[in-house]
Amino acid sequence: MAFIEINGGKQLSGEVNIQGSKNAVLPILAATVLINGIIKLNHCPKILDVFHMIKILEAIGCNASWEKHTLIIDTTKLNTSTVPEEYVRLMRSSIIMMGALLGRTHSVTITYPGGCTIGARPIDFHLSAFQDMNVSLEEEDGLIKCTTTGIVGNEISLKFPSVGATENIILAAVLATGKTSIINAAKEPEITELCKFLNTAGAEITGAGTEKIEINGVEYLHPIEYTACSDRIVAGTYLAAVAGAGGEAVLTGIGAGSLQMVVTLLREMGCNIISGEEYIIISSLGRLKPISLIRTMPYPGFPTDMQSQIMSVLMTATGTSRIIEEIFEGRYQNVKEQIKFGADIQIEGRTAVINGVSNLTGCEVFASELRGGAALVIAGLMARGKTTLHNPYFIERGYEDICRDLRKLGADIKLVT
Ligand code: EPZ
């Protein structure tokens, strides 16, 4: 079995270009189903979750091919609206296919996605929104069958600004009859990116990035070429790696606009960060200061997808920090692995108390989910000596090649297969 080997305890220095955004590209790939033609998606990351999404698109009759980092999708031969069960099990976010298939074919059959390590991850908001849009649901032995005589726009109020539910409603609404308003919509940059993609293809969406999004249904969408934005969480992960290990780095292909809260906290901890339209420069010298309280929140608050990574950085801060994980109830699974480095972390319900220690020691750890795995890489870079990180598969779901990228920043890290 493959594992990642890190010799840590050294400062980082170098430059790395940031890959395309996983959480922007996944809903965009679902959105291609709403377009009957050939779509070119540039700056598409070659990560496992994209490969899974391609398998789903091929399973429903689409064709996909790569030209370097451009993914070309041909949806003209789409021939079914049943999403194969094995891919839903592999990647729960394939639930995003529901809105798109309903929009294109007025039906979808999909397995109930299970939870995962970070949480139960229910989809009740998605399903009740579809029912408010003239979709009828049948659920039998784990399968959800949706049909509609035609999607009808409506006003949908979300109890929580769910990213996936906001995306699924948008996808169902773009070809609907009439207008759909989403109240308490998610404001994540990935929502804005999805709406930019759809508007480029002829949709009429306003309010992306605000808590109220309006979609006027149109007759059809036309094929386009589109360039995906860079991945803000991958960028945030590498900023955290430099913050924790010390040194300096230039990240290119992304600005700090979508990472404001992460940058603010890293500056508060003692990092110097400057940024422009397409670059972020960070330097981190000496031990960092603790943060009294970090609460993960929907955008523009501190992102839950950066919680484990910032926890690793705080493990050697000069005092006590507290994190409250408000979004996913299972996001502290990774802490037992972080403690193996010699960290002092206590979990009290949703609160993690991190007492900074002066140094960490390399060890053998096991990734069990994507961002927790990335946080273990950061801890390995900070720790003196060798770290062996098992189950790198989880990290490859969202990072194109974390070892390649961190070696560009001078890290002594490699994937051993
Ligand atoms: C998206 O997940 C991201 N995934 C997650 O990133 C990210 O952590 C999350 O948004 C929050 O930002 C993708 O974009 C593919 P939610 P999603 O619906 O859409 C509850 C990563 O590491 N909820 O905003 O599933 C849910 O239980 C991944 O890249 C319901 O109760 O997140 C959670 O507590 C991890 N009912 C909260 O809302 C619903 O119907 C936020 O979930 C839907 C959600």
Side-chain angles (χ1 to χ4, degrees):
M1 294 293 275
F3 57 87
I4 290 175
E5 193 173 274
I6 304 163
N7 288 303
K10 293 181 292 191
Q11 299 229 324
L12 299 181
S13 173
E15 177 173 324
V16 65
N17 187 260
I18 301 301
Q19 70 179 60
S21 165
K22 167 177 92 79
N23 290 351
V25 159
L26 292 179
I28 284 175
L29 288 178
T32 63
V33 159
L34 292 165
I35 302 167
N36 184 355
I38 294 175
I39 302 95
K40 282 191 162 187
L41 182 59
N42 304 318
H43 198 39
C44 187
K46 295 190 176 185
I47 54 177
L48 292 184
D49 275 11
V50 165
F51 301 151
H52 291 147
M53 202 59 169
I54 289 170
K55 290 271 185 236
I56 291 173
L57 291 170
E58 288 172 340
I60 61 174
C62 300
N63 185 279
S65 58
W66 289 98
E67 279 175 13
K68 293 205 174 77
H69 274 83
T70 295
L71 185 57
I72 300 158
I73 305 283
D74 180 346
T75 68
T76 50
K77 297 188 178 53
L78 188 145
N79 56 24
T80 172
S81 62
T82 298
V83 180
E85 196 251 335
E86 74 235 61
Y87 300 121
V88 181
R89 229 177 337 96
L90 268 176
M91 186 182 71
R92 61 167 306 288
S93 47
S94 42
I95 200 71
I96 202 69
M97 289 299 294
M98 291 186 79
L101 281 169
L102 281 167
R104 170 82 180 260
T105 69
H106 290 175
S107 69
V108 61
T109 301
I110 191 166
T111 320
Y112 233 106
C116 67
T117 308
I118 65 172
R121 306 192 74 179
I123 58 167
D124 50 324
F125 300 163
H126 303 237
L127 301 183
S128 56
F130 291 147
Q131 287 174 303
D132 292 344
M133 299 169 83
N134 190 40
V135 173
S136 53
L137 292 180
E138 275 175 60
E139 294 172 47
E140 51 183 276
D141 38 305
L143 266 188
I144 314 168
K145 290 190 175 133
C146 303
T147 53
T148 176
T149 53
I151 297 179
V152 178
N154 203 342
E155 178 167 290
I156 314 282
S157 292
L158 289 174
K159 284 182 279 188
F160 181 86
S162 154
V163 171
T166 301
E167 290 166 347
N168 245 335
I169 297 165
I170 291 167
L171 291 168
V174 287
L175 298 179
T177 305
K179 180 167 106 170
T180 299
S181 302
I182 308 173
I183 314 299
N184 195 26
K187 297 185 271 191
E188 274 70 4
E190 293 76 24
I191 303 281
T192 305
E193 191 69 7
L194 173 63
C195 294
K196 260 173 67 182
F197 172 86
L198 288 165
N199 281 342
T200 307
E204 286 179 20
I205 307 170
T206 55
T210 75
E211 72 279 352
K212 182 175 182 184
I213 297 177
E214 295 191 324
I215 307 107
N216 287 316
V218 294
E219 287 293 305
Y220 73 96
L221 299 179
H222 55 76
I224 56 168
E225 178 169 351
Y226 190 82
T227 299
C229 64
S230 297
D231 194 310
R232 63 189 174 104
I233 303 300
V234 168
T237 302
Y238 297 163
L239 291 175
V242 176
E248 80 278 328
V250 181
L251 273 52
T252 58
I254 192 166
S258 58
L259 277 167
Q260 272 318 322
M261 195 54 82
V262 173
V263 168
T264 300
L265 285 181
L266 288 173
R267 282 180 174 143
E268 216 179 291
M269 293 163 68
C271 297
N272 292 312
I273 300 177
I274 57 171
S275 69
E277 193 63 29
E278 289 286 311
Y279 69 87
I280 305 173
I281 301 172
I282 180 170
S283 68
S284 168
L285 308 169
R287 278 183 74 180
L288 297 174
K289 297 192 274 293
I291 299 279
S292 55
L293 178 61
I294 299 175
R295 195 185 282 270
T296 64
M297 302 292 281
Y299 194 85
F302 186 83
T304 176
D305 290 353
M306 278 298 302
Q307 183 258 99
S308 301
Q309 297 94 309
I310 211 81
M311 185 183 287
S312 283
V313 181
L314 291 166
M315 292 182 344
T316 58
T318 56
T320 299
S321 305
R322 271 176 188 74
I323 297 176
I324 299 182
E325 171 55 57
E326 296 281 12
I327 310 289
F328 288 117
E329 67 278 16
R331 226 160 193 168
Y332 287 145
Q333 296 289 330
N334 196 53
V335 171
K336 64 186 182 319
E337 298 300 310
Q338 286 168 303
I339 288 171
K340 289 181 183 173
F341 288 94
D344 175 354
I345 306 171
Q346 277 103 36
I347 302 297
E348 296 150 15
R350 289 260 183 161
T351 302
V353 180
I354 305 107
N355 298 307
V357 295
S358 48
N359 56 60
L360 303 172
T361 308
C363 56
E364 186 169 26
V365 285
F366 294 80
S368 61
E369 41 94 3
L370 168 58
R371 305 302 176 188
L376 296 175
V377 169
I378 293 170
L381 294 170
M382 296 165 65
R384 291 179 186 157
K386 189 167 98 167
T387 291
T388 303
L389 169 52
H390 298 280
N391 308 331
Y393 155 89
F394 290 104
I395 301 172
E396 291 160 6
R397 293 192 54 167
Y399 295 80
E400 198 167 71
D401 189 338
I402 199 166
C403 295
R404 171 202 67 192
D405 287 351
L406 290 171
R407 274 200 301 274
K408 286 180 183 165
L409 301 184
D412 180 348
I413 180 171
K414 64 176 182 280
L415 179 68
V416 179
T417 50

